[in-house]
Amino acid sequence: MKNSRRHFLKNSASAAALSLAGPHAGALSQPTSSPLAYVKDGGMQLCLAHFYGMDKRRIELSKQLQVLNAVGGINARPLGITDAQPWEYKAIMAVKEAWAKEGLTFKVVEGPPALYEKTKLGLPGRDEEIDNFILFIRNLAKAGIDTICYNWMPVISWARTSLDLPSRGGALVSAFDIDNIKDNSLTTFGTFTKEVMWKNLEYFLKAVVPEAEKKGIKLALHPDDPPVDAIRGIPRIMISADAFKRMIELVPSPSNGITLCQGTFATMGEDIPSVINYFGKRGKIHFVHFRDVRGSRNHFEETFHDDGKTNMYEAMKTYYDIGFRGPMRPDHVPTMAGDSNEHPGYSNIGVLFAIGYMRGLLEAIARQHR
């Protein structure tokens, strides 16, 4: 054993001396091939959500993290633009330029204007809303922004029954328990059937997808969250992978795609790598919300990225393997010690953990596949 160890140390010392002697000292310094360069984040376009104005701390953290893509809405009023609707070019450019001045690229519009109850419920005035949405598509394309994340949840959108559930180490998370919905009354809009909701979605897609395709805009439909059958008489239809398969076939187009919100698909009970593989291979994933949960559609809570039920490594690897290189952001992070729960799910400290976790996965995967 001692002789073997001496032999190993002797050879190691020789190799070290050879490597220090200079580039022409011997064959060990002449690699036979050069590995492909590692592409940061595996080529993914990591983003942060900026839903609560131009928060200086979040902007500085974005730059320190080198996550330089911003996701948000169109609100030009704080910028002094009061004579333009949010779907008009003047408002869009004002918002884009404001982010550019901060050193960030406005990448995805999440929560687009001109898409409200009239369109989703098929009420009088929907054609005017849709015309404004088409104008929005044209002006986004003109401004050089190509992705719209939208949803089909009228009246009651994102819903939780708790916004401060204690989680790991006392961090606060949001949760949903259908048994704890306190108000089960109908809304002022009354009741609708799922088929009516599907017909309204088809009407919308047939009107806007051709223009989106012509202008190179990606429409990314977000699943209903929570993915329950109905809340207060309003049906929710985007509550399964099969529903999204049906949706993309309503108006087949490269522009008609999805926001793959992992947490929502996980609460549906779907296998996340399988969902990514199915829609990714068809070029239908336009935007990703990378998050995780524990529980099922009627009873669930948000988690840290390393503490949920999804195999997050396999999920990220599947995105990489199917060639997705589009915008991706962490979503619904826990509120951690020292941060405010004023905006549940969007803690600045929580997002630091999330980005570090995501970037670590991406580097491990990308370096293994060079």
Side-chain angles (χ1 to χ4, degrees):
M1 178 66 72
K2 289 182 179 178
N3 289 337
S4 297
R5 184 168 179 271
R6 283 196 193 98
H7 182 72
F8 170 77
L9 290 172
K10 181 179 179 181
N11 287 347
S12 297
S14 299
L18 191 60
S19 66
L20 291 171
H24 304 295
L28 286 178
S29 64
Q30 303 296 320
T32 57
S33 62
S34 298
L36 295 174
Y38 166 66
V39 177
K40 188 176 179 64
D41 298 330
M44 305 288 182
Q45 301 169 37
L46 293 186
C47 312
L48 287 189
H50 296 263
F51 293 146
Y52 303 100
M54 305 193 82
D55 182 287
K56 292 297 183 183
R57 184 183 182 210
R58 198 169 184 87
I59 289 169
E60 290 306 311
L61 289 173
S62 297
K63 291 189 283 190
Q64 291 167 9
L65 289 168
Q66 281 200 316
V67 177
L68 303 179
N69 296 307
V71 175
I74 302 293
N75 182 6
R77 288 188 173 274
L79 304 173
I81 307 298
T82 58
D83 60 345
Q85 296 293 337
W87 51 83
E88 294 179 350
Y89 181 72
K90 182 178 180 179
I92 294 167
M93 281 304 299
V95 171
K96 179 182 177 180
E97 288 172 354
W99 285 116
K101 287 179 182 177
E102 296 290 349
L104 303 181
T105 299
F106 189 42
K107 194 71 179 177
V108 178
V109 176
E110 189 163 342
L115 180 55
Y116 308 118
E117 275 66 35
K118 291 176 182 178
T119 300
K120 296 175 184 179
L121 296 177
L123 303 176
R126 70 171 170 179
D127 287 333
E128 181 181 353
E129 278 190 1
I130 290 173
D131 286 344
N132 289 334
F133 193 88
I134 290 172
L135 180 59
F136 182 58
I137 286 172
R138 292 170 179 162
N139 287 329
L140 273 187
K142 185 178 176 182
I145 302 167
D146 69 0
T147 305
I148 303 172
C149 172
Y150 70 105
N151 68 67
W152 210 251
M153 296 182 284
V155 190
I156 301 168
S157 185
W158 184 80
R160 294 292 187 269
T161 53
S162 175
L163 297 175
D164 57 359
L165 181 72
S167 184
R168 186 172 75 189
L172 303 179
V173 300
S174 70
F176 179 79
D177 187 335
I178 201 166
D179 297 329
N180 290 338
I181 295 178
K182 295 178 181 178
D183 185 355
N184 284 306
S185 65
L186 298 180
T187 73
T188 56
F189 293 92
T191 60
F192 293 81
T193 67
K194 286 183 178 287
E195 271 314 302
V196 165
M197 297 292 288
W198 275 108
K199 287 178 181 177
N200 294 341
L201 177 58
E202 183 176 10
Y203 186 92
F204 169 76
L205 291 174
K206 284 183 174 178
V208 304
V209 168
E211 190 65 24
E213 183 173 338
K214 184 166 68 174
K215 296 297 183 181
I217 297 293
K218 300 171 185 175
L219 300 174
L221 179 58
H222 189 287
D224 296 345
D225 184 14
V228 295
D229 281 332
I231 298 179
R232 298 184 63 196
I234 306 296
R236 296 163 90 83
I237 58 174
M238 304 313 301
I239 60 173
S240 68
D242 284 343
F244 278 86
K245 292 174 185 178
R246 176 178 174 181
M247 185 277 296
I248 62 175
E249 293 303 322
L250 288 177
V251 183
S253 166
S255 289
N256 185 20
I258 74 173
T259 294
L260 206 156
C261 180
Q262 283 188 193
T264 312
F265 278 98
T267 58
M268 296 174 191
E270 302 285 0
D271 178 73
I272 299 303
S274 296
V275 171
I276 297 167
N277 194 59
Y278 181 89
F279 291 103
K281 285 187 174 179
R282 288 161 176 78
K284 295 300 180 180
I285 303 175
H286 294 333
F287 184 33
V288 172
H289 287 177
F290 197 80
R291 66 180 178 95
D292 206 6
V293 297
R294 277 196 298 271
S296 57
R297 67 178 73 227
N298 291 325
H299 312 277
F300 64 85
E301 65 182 74
E302 311 277 3
T303 67
F304 283 91
H305 280 70
D306 65 339
D307 200 28
K309 66 179 185 175
T310 301
N311 185 327
M312 299 293 259
Y313 174 85
E314 285 300 323
M316 192 68 87
K317 184 175 180 297
T318 308
Y319 289 117
Y320 188 86
D321 288 346
I322 56 93
F324 176 79
R325 300 294 185 270
M328 171 186 288
R329 72 169 180 86
D331 198 16
H332 301 180
V333 299
T335 298
M336 298 178 69
D339 215 346
S340 166
N341 200 38
E342 181 182 2
H343 303 302
Y346 295 94
S347 158
N348 282 327
I349 298 176
V351 86
L352 300 181
F353 176 88
I355 288 293
Y357 183 87
M358 293 166 65
R359 183 163 276 158
L361 288 179
L362 282 166
E363 180 163 354
I365 292 163
R367 288 191 183 279
Q368 288 172 4
H369 289 74
R370 286 189 298 167

